[in-house]
Amino acid sequence: MDDQEDDVTTGDLRAVLFGPPGAGKGTQAARLAERYGVPHIATGDIFRANVNGGTDLGREAKRYMDEGELVPDDVVIGMVADRVEDSGEAGFLLDGFPRTTPQAEALEGLLDDLGRPLDIVLHFRIDDDEVVRRIAGRRVCVDCGATYHVEHDVPEEEGVCDRCGGDVILRDDDREDVVRNRLDVYREETEPLAEFYGERGLLVEVDAVGDPDAITERATEAITSVRDGDTAA
Ligand code: AMP
């Protein structure tokens, strides 16, 4: 615990995090969810858990994920709505949802019905070349999920996980061609959300390049300023 946590009112934050693949959203979302005591709802993680568990949802999602395409809106919206409703008064931190305007509209309708509007939308910014460098160099252990990077975090024995001895591989959706496609899809489908949320006065831009602790700090400051009643835009 650091001293910053003392002034945090837990469990009443409703936030969305979005940004291109490789912006470090997952890491930051997990930290912020813990700090504010709210559930971290990460659609990509939910899909991956379903793929690993061999469920029908996983089988359907995998076809899209392996190509860097988005899973259809109706599938994602139904899945998130259940979790947001279950989160009750606890609030939530949404990571990777919404990713399209129809998803954002569906979320807005759901939260209006529940009488629990969003507090803030954090937009993580980073440029494409940095994204490709980060993701296409990433390697993961198929058994324990440990992550490595070809430039600065290689396993002692090539292709073998230091932690569990499992195979360390390039994930299908981390291949450079797939990453480039994910970035195109991001520009086309997801980036317009900046305007959508900007118009609603909910958007805050966060520079996602640099030391992860500094990025958490930037995001926390943005949340604090919104809670103190400053306008987010
Ligand atoms: P992520 O881990 O957030 O990068 O998500 C991995 C993959 O899951 C994406 O490339 C999409 O195929 C799928 N996915 C995750 N969230 C969504 C969403 N909100 N809408 C559509 N597809 C999604």
Side-chain angles (χ1 to χ4, degrees):
M1 252 214 196
D2 62 33
D3 44 291
Q4 279 228 334
E5 252 158 306
D6 296 343
D7 59 11
V8 165
T9 319
T10 55
D12 63 351
L13 177 72
R14 289 179 298 278
V16 163
L17 245 88
F18 83 99
K25 294 186 304 291
T27 309
Q28 296 296 332
R31 289 182 181 192
L32 293 169
E34 191 183 4
R35 182 167 223 162
Y36 291 94
V38 294
H40 172 201
I41 303 174
T43 42
D45 289 350
I46 300 171
F47 285 133
R48 276 186 290 278
N50 276 277
V51 171
N52 292 337
T55 68
D56 288 345
L57 175 64
R59 263 187 293 280
E60 181 172 7
K62 190 172 185 334
R63 292 192 288 140
Y64 300 95
M65 293 167 78
D66 284 352
E67 300 303 320
E69 298 292 330
L70 295 183
V71 177
D73 283 338
D74 54 341
V75 176
V76 194
I77 289 168
M79 187 176 91
V80 173
D82 288 346
R83 284 176 168 76
V84 166
E85 281 167 5
D86 289 350
S87 74
E89 295 305 309
F92 50 78
L93 205 142
L94 283 170
D95 163 11
F97 180 95
R99 252 182 166 93
T100 64
T101 303
Q103 290 180 17
E105 287 166 346
L107 178 67
E108 189 171 55
L110 172 71
L111 296 179
D112 280 351
D113 289 348
L114 295 171
R116 296 193 271 132
L118 285 176
D119 298 311
I120 189 169
V121 175
L122 298 165
H123 179 200
F124 278 47
R125 318 234 12 194
I126 177 174
D127 48 73
D128 288 8
D129 289 343
E130 174 69 12
V131 165
V132 172
R133 212 178 53 74
R134 284 189 190 183
I135 306 192
R138 185 160 70 188
R139 300 290 180 270
V140 295
C141 171
V142 285
D143 290 335
C144 75
T147 53
Y148 299 89
H149 197 281
V150 291
E151 284 174 21
H152 49 75
D153 189 10
V154 288
E156 265 174 37
E157 189 183 337
E158 203 187 327
V160 180
C161 180
D162 292 342
R163 245 173 42 189
C164 77
D167 285 342
V168 172
I169 57 142
L170 172 65
R171 228 169 62 180
D172 282 338
D173 59 344
D174 285 350
R175 291 195 331 256
E176 180 163 346
D177 57 321
V178 178
V179 174
R180 297 261 176 214
N181 190 37
R182 285 164 75 190
L183 282 167
D184 288 345
V185 170
Y186 176 78
R187 296 274 169 262
E188 185 81 10
E189 304 276 0
T190 309
E191 211 161 57
L193 295 182
E195 196 178 334
F196 181 94
Y197 286 119
E199 283 167 0
R200 286 156 177 76
L202 290 170
L203 189 76
V204 175
E205 309 278 3
V206 177
D207 178 2
V209 180
D211 171 42
D213 290 342
I215 298 167
T216 309
E217 222 37 65
R218 283 172 214 154
T220 307
E221 276 165 20
I223 294 169
T224 303
S225 69
V226 168
R227 287 166 167 249
D228 288 348
D230 300 349
T231 52

